Structures are given as C-alpha cells and as structure tokens.
Amino acid sequence: MIQINHLQKSFGKLNVLSDVNAHIHPGEIISIIGPSGAGKSTFLRCLNLLEEPTGGSIMIDGEDLLAPGVNVARIRQKMGMVFQSFNLFNHLSVLDNVCIGPVKLLGKNRKEAEQRGMELLKMVGMAEKAHAMPEELSGGQKQRAAIARCLSMEPEIILFDEPTSALDPTMVSEVLSVIRSLARQGMTMAIVTHEMSFARDVSTRVFYMDKGTIYEEGTPEQIFEHPTRELTRIFVNRIRDFHFCFHSRDYDRYALKSEWQQYCNKYFLTRETMQKALKLGVSLFRLIPFDKGAVDMFFRYSEKTRQMSVEVLLPPGMPPVLPPPDSKRMSVINILCDGVITSKEETPDGERVKYCMKLRHHNH
Ligand code: ADP
Ligand code: MG
C-alpha cells in the first residue's frame, strides 16, 4: 500500500507538484490522465525517487521513502518503471536485457535468471526474439521487452509513463494487450496514458491531474461519465472552446466571423452547426443591454458527444436580462435550443450571471 501526502516538487521557482494526495492499494490499476505539463511524469518520477520531492511524504507499507538513510535502490526495485522511450540497453540482447537486473541486483544465478527471463518473454509474446538485439525490433516489440525486463525485477507495482505514445498507431494495441494481461493477473499499476478508452476499461481508479495536483479522482465511470469539476469535464469530453468578448455594440463583426470560421474548420463542424450556433450567439447578444462592461461568449463543442453549447457571461453586477422564455423576442432562441439555463458564477470582480444553451440537433 502506497500513501502519498502533500507531495510537492519544484524545479527552482517552478512549482510542478503543488499538493498531491493519494493512496494506492495492492491490485489497483490507476490511470493518470490530464493535459501535458500537468505534472504526471514528475509525479511518477517522484514516486520511485528518480526525482527528489521538495515536500510531503510517500509511505510504502508503512516505510517513509523520504526518511534520511532510506535504501533507495531497494525502493526502486519495488517499483518498476516503463518509459515512453523503452530505455533498453542497446548493446545487450533481449534476453540479456531481461537477465541483467536479476543477476546483478537480485543475486540470481545466470541459469535461474534465463529460465525466468524466457517465461517472461513468452508472456509478452517475445520468446522468439530472445536473442535479437534491440535495434532489430519494432517499437511495439521493444516496449514489450521493456515490460518483461521490468517484471524480471519482481516489482510490487509498475509505473508506466505513456507506454504507447512513442509507437506507430499500428503497434499501440500489442502493448496495451500486454498491460491488460498484467491487470488480469492482479499486478498493481499506475499508468499515465492518453488512451482514454483503454484507461476507461482497464483501471480501477482514475486520477485526473491538472496544475500540479490530483484535481479529481474516481472510478472510470465517475471520471469519464460524470466528472464533477470543470477542468475534468473539459478534458474528458474534449471540449473545444471558442471565446469571443463583446466589448461594445460595435464589436468587430469581421473578426468574429473569421475567427469563428477558423474554429469551425479546425474541428470539422458541419455547416449547419456553424451557422446555427453563430445565429444563437448573435441573437442572444442583441437581447443584452450594453452599459455595464464586456459580455463574454463561449462556444463549447464536445468532440466526444458532438454537442455544441453556447455560454454567455454577463458583466459582473448585471442582473439577469433575458426576456421571459415565452416572449416573442425569445422565439428565435427557442427554435435554436432547448431552453436557457441560468446560473451564477463567482468571480474576483463580483457575481456574474451565466446563461447556458445547448444547440438543438435537427434531424433531416
Ligand atoms: P506531464 O508529464 O504531465 O506532461 P511533466 O511532469 O513532464 O508533465 O512536467 C510538468 C512541468 O514540469 C513542465 O512545465 C515541465 O517543463 C517541468 N519540468 C519537468 N521536469 C523538469 C526538470 N527536470 N527541470 C525543470 N522543469 C521540469
Ligand atoms: Mg509526461
């Protein structure tokens, strides 16, 4: 059992992990997802002491990893790591890569190590390549050999840092299958990955990391289907925002049109969605009086659900301004969406009224 409390890591002035709290039980499969730069790799590297944390504590089976005098080599042994870039020894055959650790660090004799090594290579489908050199292997084969090498050290947990992101798309699945089979055997694992459907069906829990913390965690179902926090939602639904700020009635129509066009092209929006969403935004804008500051409008398109919604944030302090839902002035809006949801958002400048609308899908 691993218990992580208030883990911090900074590089000079850069705070990369600000406050990470987590626990991992034996047999758990934790997927770690989140935008790049969130601190995922740093978190894994701190766990097996490839980086020295600048604060907090990591306990493994009651032992404090960060206590002075701790046997770092033994701790690393408990935690195997598989890297994006394989990290095989290029001057050693596949079998030697798998045997070197057990012989040098676990004190096994050569024969024992080779026997176990061959078993592990069989398990990852690499027995035929036991005597090949790394340079003769494809990326997927290298990564499977790296997994066998990691297993040869009999780790209690394996940390994977984007194990498939350096691979050709055709080789991703062979590596994921090996990880899946380890999962079935009850191996404890923490896996940083961008393969969302894999994370969804292989893991027991998901950590969503953002801005140096575990921003939200839960079962795959909670995180992928019912995330409760804003940044998680944006990430898992692959929500693409288009933001336009109306500073005055005389906003730059040409700029709006051209930015909108670019956004729609980038995400392959249909012509229909493109026109209707813009019409919805502009119709709303016309119903808002303009005396208290800028109005922000967000067009949010989910690449996952293909739903487009429009959010409008009134200036701080402006009360709700839309006419009643059944009034004539709302008729265009009612045609384009299924009603307007009103809520409030706290901001440093005061409360802002927020309107949210989902664009209606029309079936032809
Ligand atoms: P992720 O794996 O989520 O993409 P990383 O943990 O690799 O994020 O990096 C988080 C941040 O820490 C990035 O801004 C990165 O530039 C910075 N960082 C990582 N390693 C170092 C380092 N050794 N020295 C300085 N900055 C680093
Ligand atoms: Mg990383």
Side-chain angles (χ1 to χ4, degrees), residues 77-114:
Q77 224 163 1
K78 287 191 184 188
M79 293 198 259
M81 186 137 176
V82 174
F83 302 88
Q84 183 178 347
S85 51
F86 327 125
N87 292 19
L88 292 172
F89 298 115
N90 285 321
H91 62 291
L92 296 180
S93 71
V94 169
L95 184 59
D96 285 340
N97 261 285
V98 177
C99 292
I100 186 170
V103 170
K104 292 223 158 140
L105 300 168
L106 300 183
K108 286 197 182 176
N109 69 45
R110 178 80 205 175
K111 201 162 165 228
E112 248 183 315
E114 279 190 4

Side-chain angles (χ1 to χ4, degrees), residues 9-12 14-17 32-45 51 161-162 192 194 209-210 212:
K9 174 68 187 173
S10 40
F11 295 102
L14 184 67
N15 257 331
V16 173
L17 300 181
I32 302 169
I33 61 171
S36 89
K40 304 180 298 297
S41 296
T42 305
F43 174 50
L44 287 194
R45 294 168 63 80
E51 297 285 358
D161 193 358
E162 300 196 29
V192 173
H194 290 295
M209 281 191 76
D210 209 327

Side-chain angles (χ1 to χ4, degrees), residues 242-260 277-288 290 293-297 299:
F242 171 77
H243 172 226
F244 194 83
C245 184
F246 295 92
H247 290 283
S248 78
R249 280 258 166 258
D250 301 314
Y251 67 92
D252 186 341
R253 285 162 180 74
Y254 296 101
L256 172 61
K257 266 224 156 122
S258 100
E259 286 172 33
W260 176 245
L278 191 61
K279 190 166 173 196
L280 179 57
V282 171
S283 315
L284 261 157
F285 171 75
R286 291 208 184 106
L287 296 176
I288 298 170
F290 232 104
V295 172
D296 286 295
M297 199 170 283
F299 294 86

Side-chain angles (χ1 to χ4, degrees), residues 321-337:
V321 291
L322 286 190
D326 52 358
S327 72
K328 197 153 177 232
R329 294 168 64 211
M330 287 292 282
S331 58
V332 176
I333 289 164
N334 286 328
I335 290 168
L336 291 167
C337 70

